[in-house]
Amino acid sequence: MSPIPSTTDTLTIREMCEAFAVTPRTLRFYEAKELLFPIRKGTARLFTKQDRARLLLILRGKRFGFSLEDIRQLLDMYDRDGSNEAQLQRTYDLGCDRLAQMEAQRAELDEAIADLKIQLAEGAASLAAFRRAAAE
Amino acid sequence: MSPIPSTTDTLTIREMCEAFAVTPRTLRFYEAKELLFPIRKGTARLFTKQDRARLLLILRGKRFGFSLEDIRQLLDMYDRDGSNEAQLQRTYDLGCDRLAQMEAQRAELDEAIADLKIQLAEGAASLAAFRRAAAE
DNA sequence: AGAGCGCTTGACGTTAACGTAAATGTAACG
DNA sequence: CGTTACATTTACGTTAACGTCAAGCGCTCT
């Protein structure tokens, strides 16, 4: 057999990369940043079902423009909701803060979009004027 | 008189900073990047009406998410042939592209906000359960 | 045993848009 | 003339999220 086709339900780094279209460097980076926790068989990494679930969430978070640090905190919220009350409360508060940031961001984005639309309308008017002049 | 109150219709760097809420560093940086071309009276900078118009466009472009390099190219195009229809069309198209990107970004953001709200609702439920348990 | 992958761990490189510090200049006030 | 208060240039520092070597280990195929 060639490149070790994951015998169990764990994936090698290469399989993981292909499954999620990321580079090995990225996976090692995420591990160093404590976003992923692959099993270490000797020096090699084996990515579990949990790691796959986490990576899915990481990539989604990135598409939304969150920083990896934000994502790490959110992931903590996702898995440790069975801990003690104080911890859960802290996590919940963190999530609320994050939500507020996101809504503020959306407000700014909406404003920028509105402004850009105005600019585009003016541009369209200028273009129309040009064309009327040329059509004379 | 203290800090040279612009005698003509040019502004000193400080006046410019106050007028646009930017730092001196930013203005020098923009000059180095060839986004602004203040008159050099000796070593000092004097910002003309043109510079003010350009800075306004720069700041607006930044709000729309254009990079400084993108903005520089747009400004240069306008300097060379400001009243060229093809040029105006090109700028308009770029604006439309950006608008599409921003709206896509907003859609994703909305989705993320919805997801996070779900997570928070679950967190709130867990907390409530904890408290019901603790209440007895 | 030797060749050749693929994986591993460092560790420095990259990009954007400035921040910040150091050394120096210069204009006006007193 | 000295001090204050800015100004200027030069150049290194910052942050995020990896990219890109470099050098070595561990299997496997032959």
Side-chain angles (χ1 to χ4, degrees), chain A residues 46-79:
Chain A
L46 291 177
F47 295 87
T48 68
K49 183 175 44 120
Q50 235 215 67
D51 291 315
R52 278 167 278 172
R54 290 175 73 91
L55 182 52
L56 206 57
L57 293 174
I58 292 168
L59 296 178
R60 195 174 65 170
K62 268 173 55 67
R63 282 196 10 256
F64 297 156
F66 296 123
S67 73
L68 289 184
E69 176 55 21
D70 290 338
I71 292 168
R72 194 183 60 76
Q73 291 175 9
L74 287 175
L75 283 176
D76 285 352
M77 184 175 82
Y78 273 76
D79 24 74

Side-chain angles (χ1 to χ4, degrees), chain A residues 21-48:
Chain A
V22 296
T23 67
R25 180 68 181 92
T26 297
L27 295 180
R28 294 184 192 116
F29 182 73
Y30 289 171
E31 185 188 5
K33 287 282 178 178
E34 304 196 283
L35 287 157
L36 296 177
F37 307 93
I39 298 169
R40 302 306 291 262
K41 175 130 186 181
T43 76
R45 292 170 175 82
L46 291 177
F47 295 87
T48 68

